Amino acid sequence: MGIGLAIAKQAASEGARISLLARSVDQLQKAKESICQAYEVEVSIFSADVRDYDAVERAINEAGSIDVLVVNHGVYYVEEFETQGLDVMKTMIDVNLMGSFNVIKAALPLMKDRKDKGPASIALMSSMAGQAGIYGFAAYSATKFGLRGLAEALQQELLVNNIHLSIIFPPVTETSGIEQVEFISVLTFEARERMPEITKIILESSPGMKAEEVGKITIQGIKSGSFSIPCRLDGRAVAIATAGLSPQTSFLMASIEVVFAGLFRFVALLLQWRGYEIIEKYNYSHKKQQVE
């Protein structure tokens, strides 16, 4: 569902053989029917929890040869670090980070042994919260920043195998499954109720994207061999400001990063100061109301 289904449909529209892995058999069956109704492609479904390496390995081995691996799963809960339970934090780490390790580790032998030695790809779904920390997203951001470190290091290891890494940084994304926390990148009603007011104020200035838009951008980025795949104009600005030592396959984009790095760093600082101003004003107002 959501971004995962959108990516699968975009790949199917270009004739790809699709293998879907998720926990819910019912949701997998619905996704398969949705893709098969729109496109005449082969779609296989596999039920497994990404936290269970053995189950993931069995599913991936059954799926067979992999040319493009999209690691899209994830959960997030927005709450201030001090009040968020360690069990909730561990869930995000286990799903978002360890789950990604499990999927990639299980798939690598098949990808390295593929008969067609043309380029292959591994794409990791991060978030704009994996580029810059956001109030209330401390634990979630930690897992998404971790994916970037994984992608940068793993790219060096897999160059010799002609396997390219990509990492996608979508903003808040609209999905039909917004009420179902059991699935990908969604918030329960309870989790939204716990979202700090400051976080709501900050996110109000950042409009969401449709999952279909993210899916299309993701496939385009993978096909072009891009390491960093931002999803909007502001995402591109953040990507340039935070490029650091990340790989860059495009000479044009490398030149743009070098020329505009200073400018976008300045803009990023202005936005950061604006965010701090929002936090300070809210805290001042909140304290004032408590005194009254």
Side-chain angles (χ1 to χ4, degrees):
M1 56 190 275
I3 294 176
L5 180 56
I7 293 172
K9 284 186 172 181
Q10 183 63 35
S13 73
E14 301 187 21
R17 175 178 62 87
I18 307 295
S19 295
L20 301 175
L21 185 148
R23 284 183 295 173
S24 169
V25 175
D26 289 340
Q27 288 290 336
L28 281 166
Q29 190 60 45
K30 289 178 182 178
K32 178 178 180 177
E33 291 172 1
S34 175
I35 295 170
C36 291
Q37 286 174 3
Y39 309 102
E40 294 183 2
V41 295
E42 179 186 346
V43 180
S44 302
I45 57 176
F46 305 92
S47 176
D49 189 320
V50 294
R51 293 170 291 187
D52 183 345
Y53 176 78
D54 291 337
V56 170
E57 184 180 41
R58 285 194 298 270
I60 286 177
N61 286 336
E62 187 178 345
S65 178
I66 299 172
D67 298 303
V68 178
L69 176 69
V70 180
V71 186
N72 177 71
H73 63 268
V75 293
Y76 67 94
Y77 304 90
V78 186
E79 190 176 353
E80 289 168 337
F81 183 86
E82 186 176 4
T83 59
Q84 190 165 63
L86 286 173
D87 58 332
V88 176
M89 296 178 180
K90 187 176 184 302
T91 294
M92 284 188 278
I93 292 169
D94 288 346
V95 174
N96 299 353
L97 201 52
M98 287 305 303
S100 299
F101 291 169
N102 289 340
V103 173
I104 295 171
K105 197 168 184 65
L108 269 184
L110 285 175
M111 297 187 75
K112 285 185 174 182
D113 293 338
R114 65 193 187 282
K115 294 179 181 179
D116 179 4
K117 294 301 180 181
S121 296
I122 298 174
L124 296 166
M125 187 61 63
S126 183
S127 162
M128 288 187 73
Q131 295 173 295
I134 302 172
Y135 191 103
F137 282 84
Y140 177 73
S141 285
T143 66
K144 293 301 184 177
F145 270 87
L147 291 180
R148 173 167 171 168
L150 168 63
E152 289 187 4
L154 194 57
Q155 178 63 93
Q156 297 177 31
E157 295 184 24
L158 298 180
L159 277 174
V160 68
N161 303 106
N162 201 14
I163 298 175
H164 302 275
L165 271 290
S166 296
I167 185 162
I168 306 100
F169 299 103
V172 174
T173 304
E174 301 170 15
T175 171
S176 59
I178 198 69
E179 299 297 340
Q180 303 176 58
V181 77
E182 291 297 318
F183 301 99
I184 296 171
S185 295
V186 294
L187 284 170
T188 60
F189 176 77
E190 180 184 7
R192 292 201 301 279
E193 284 295 296
R194 291 181 180 178
M195 181 184 290
E197 288 299 320
I198 293 174
T199 307
K200 293 178 183 178
I201 295 169
I202 292 173
L203 294 181
E204 281 175 359
S205 61
S206 178
M209 284 186 74
K210 293 188 179 300
E212 291 74 17
E213 296 175 300
V214 177
K216 185 175 182 179
I217 291 169
T218 295
I219 294 299
Q220 289 174 342
I222 292 171
K223 288 171 63 178
S224 68
S226 300
F227 176 81
S228 177
I229 305 178
C231 291
R232 287 192 316 216
L233 185 60
D234 58 344
R236 290 188 178 278
V238 174
I240 292 172
T242 60
L245 295 175
S246 62
Q248 181 52 263
T249 57
S250 166
F251 178 78
L252 175 61
M253 282 305 303
S255 301
I256 291 173
E257 288 173 357
V258 171
V259 172
F260 290 100
L263 172 61
F264 284 117
R265 171 59 175 160
F266 176 69
V267 173
L269 286 172
L270 292 179
L271 293 173
Q272 185 183 68
W273 292 334
R274 172 58 179 158
Y276 286 173
E277 184 181 23
I278 291 172
I279 294 169
E280 288 175 358
K281 284 184 176 180
Y282 177 84
N283 285 329
Y284 174 78
S285 174
H286 188 63
K287 287 179 181 178
K288 189 176 179 180
Q289 288 176 0
Q290 287 180 329
V291 171
E292 293 175 353

